[in-house]
Every structure is written in C-alpha cells, then in structure tokens.
Amino acid sequence: MRTSTQREAKVRQLGVHSLRHYFASELMERGKYLEAQKLLGHHNAAFTISQYGHFIDDDSNRLGDIASELASSFMSKPIH
C-alpha cells in the first residue's frame, strides 16, 4: 500500500513482478535469450521473444539469428 508521502513524491511502488521484468530485460539486452527463457520458466522460447523481443537491438538480422538459434536448440532435444 502506498503512503501519502509516496503519492506526493510520485514514487512508483514496485513489486516482485517488476523485479522479474527488469531481470528478464537485462538478460535479453545482454543476448542471453535461452537463459532468459529457462530462468523465467517459459516452456516456449517464442513466448519469451514475444514478451521481451523489443529489448533486442536489431542492427542486423539478429532476430533471424535468434530464431535460428532457438530452432536449432529445439531440434537437438530428444523426444520423450
């Protein structure tokens, strides 16, 4: 619950979800795409990219490279 002082100072109250989003954003900005997916517990890399892909600097074809990397990772896993 925000206090009147926080409201007057226009300080946002941040919670656990904000910390999770910050952590994921930092990983994505550093190029740690698969690590982000695993640490966030996302079952699908495409979901991670859809949520945090805007943090990827796409000066070249980096998104295409990521898609290829994710596809290779997916294809190399054994089917149970």
Side-chain angles (χ1 to χ4, degrees):
M1 179 157 199
R2 292 178 62 181
T3 66
S4 61
T5 304
Q6 286 174 318
R7 279 192 295 276
E8 288 175 29
K10 298 181 181 174
V11 174
R12 291 182 14 203
Q13 185 170 354
L14 302 176
V16 174
H17 186 77
S18 298
L19 180 60
R20 174 184 165 91
H21 184 71
Y22 174 77
F23 176 70
S25 303
E26 286 294 314
L27 287 173
M28 295 299 285
E29 285 180 348
R30 294 170 190 215
K32 304 292 184 183
Y33 314 113
L34 293 176
E35 293 86 348
Q37 176 203 345
K38 290 176 186 176
L39 291 170
L40 293 169
H42 295 163
H43 295 285
N44 186 328
F47 179 78
T48 305
I49 294 295
S50 73
Q51 297 299 304
Y52 298 100
H54 59 283
F55 289 104
I56 299 169
D57 183 13
D58 195 22
D59 287 340
S60 60
N61 285 331
R62 187 66 187 136
L63 286 176
D65 295 344
I66 293 166
S68 296
E69 179 183 330
L70 292 173
S72 295
S73 173
F74 176 76
M75 298 303 285
S76 66
K77 293 183 180 180
I79 299 174
H80 297 285

